[in-house]
Amino acid sequence: DVPSGELNAGAYAINNQVQVELDDQLYTDSQQQNVSVNIPFTAGAKSHEWNDGMGELFYTADLNPMAMDLNPQGDKLTVEDTLKFHSGDENNIFLKENTVKLYYADYDQYGNPVFDENGRLKKGDLVPFTEWEMSYEESRKQYNTNEKYRVMNMRVPDGKALVLEYQYKVTMPSTS
């Protein structure tokens, strides 16, 4: 049955029953409707910083900032992060895989995620590698050889506010 009040993501059975009395005769009927509720979700804030001297992009992303239970069928979320860029063969961007780190957000005494003055999650403890996984792929679209993609796929804990940090190395030909 559908709970009263706030509706959460998940599958629900709605039961309808009707009773009609006609000519001193009582007629009843019932129907069950199964519905799924999907809640639109924004991963949270994502920012980057360029370090020209090192030729590196530093990224930070807030994942599930309200610590919602978004996957009613399990305890993991699938997150995809895609970097798309246009480049010739001499330019390249690659993920520095040893810089990928996932942190739990810091929580207050009431169990709520803590945000900084910019509305970003405050970083807490490092999430152990046994609690999440990541794969990385470099690809190029066939119809446009200058369009390249760097894709990280992750399975991360559900119901937790998380902070993801990582770096890309950018290589470009010398302009001298």
Side-chain angles (χ1 to χ4, degrees):
D1 289 318
V2 177
S4 61
E6 185 176 319
L7 192 61
N8 295 313
Y12 298 96
I14 300 173
N15 295 307
N16 293 312
Q17 294 181 333
V18 65
Q19 290 184 347
V20 176
E21 187 176 335
L22 182 63
D23 297 329
D24 294 326
Q25 188 88 355
L26 186 63
Y27 298 92
T28 62
D29 197 7
S30 64
Q31 176 188 29
Q32 181 173 336
Q33 180 80 29
N34 295 316
V35 296
S36 292
V37 176
N38 295 310
I39 298 174
F41 173 68
T42 301
K46 181 178 178 182
S47 63
H48 71 279
E49 189 177 307
W50 169 249
N51 182 318
D52 196 38
M54 296 176 65
E56 293 180 343
L57 283 167
F58 297 86
Y59 279 94
T60 302
D62 294 347
L63 306 176
N64 196 4
M66 300 313 294
M68 295 172 59
D69 183 5
L70 298 169
N71 182 2
Q73 283 81 38
D75 60 356
K76 297 282 187 211
L77 292 176
T78 300
V79 177
E80 181 179 288
D81 188 279
T82 302
L83 173 69
K84 175 177 135 179
F85 66 102
H86 298 276
S87 171
D89 286 333
E90 64 278 354
N91 298 336
N92 207 355
I93 297 176
F94 62 92
L95 179 68
K96 295 175 68 177
E97 292 188 52
N98 64 334
T99 68
V100 180
K101 301 213 178 350
L102 185 65
Y103 297 89
Y104 290 111
D106 198 12
Y107 284 80
D108 65 19
Q109 70 268 25
Y110 305 107
N112 299 312
V114 176
F115 296 88
D116 66 17
E117 62 277 357
N118 297 315
R120 301 299 304 271
L121 287 170
K122 284 192 173 183
K123 192 169 56 171
D125 293 332
L126 192 63
V127 178
F129 288 115
T130 56
E131 295 182 23
W132 70 290
E133 57 192 67
M134 184 210 59
S135 63
Y136 172 67
E137 177 185 356
E138 297 180 358
S139 65
R140 185 183 289 227
K141 290 286 186 190
Q142 292 178 340
Y143 60 85
N144 182 348
T145 58
N146 288 334
E147 193 171 271
K148 296 180 183 178
Y149 293 83
R150 303 300 183 248
V151 181
M152 274 194 298
N153 284 293
M154 294 158 280
R155 295 210 13 98
V156 302
D158 187 18
K160 303 286 184 188
L162 304 165
V163 178
L164 177 67
E165 294 182 338
Y166 55 97
Q167 297 173 21
Y168 279 102
K169 178 70 177 170
V170 180
T171 58
M172 294 178 277
S174 170
T175 56
S176 55

